[in-house]
Amino acid sequence: MNNPPAFPLTSNWHNELKHYNGMGLRDYMAAKAMQAAITGCATRAEVGLYSDWAGFAYEMADAMLKAREQ
């Protein structure tokens, strides 16, 4: 699975070419999926176990990355 940087940046500061990759696209997509899923929950009790949400978020991110390759 291809996991490019979420916000690739190339800088030519002081005539030295530097690459700053930062967060991977998979992590970015997982964070967005988790945020969207939890937004509708009003209380901590409704959220449940964060580890369950995290696993769900990465499953969704993996599916989005796979869909990008098609």
Side-chain angles (χ1 to χ4, degrees), residues 30-55:
K32 290 294 191 176
M34 188 171 202
Q35 178 184 13
I38 291 177
T39 296
C41 299
T43 66
R44 173 66 174 92
E46 288 179 320
V47 171
L49 297 175
Y50 288 125
S51 58
D52 292 341
W53 285 100

Side-chain angles (χ1 to χ4, degrees), residues 2-68:
N2 188 12
N3 184 24
F7 304 102
L9 174 67
T10 301
S11 173
N12 195 5
W13 189 66
H14 286 273
N15 296 324
E16 274 187 52
L17 189 61
K18 296 182 181 180
H19 301 279
Y20 302 96
N21 291 331
M23 176 189 316
L25 188 55
R26 182 175 185 253
D27 290 330
Y28 180 74
M29 288 179 170
K32 290 294 191 176
M34 188 171 202
Q35 178 184 13
I38 291 177
T39 296
C41 299
T43 66
R44 173 66 174 92
E46 288 179 320
V47 171
L49 297 175
Y50 288 125
S51 58
D52 292 341
W53 285 100
F56 167 74
Y58 274 101
E59 285 179 31
M60 185 175 283
D62 290 341
M64 287 188 276
L65 286 170
K66 185 175 180 181
R68 288 181 83 230

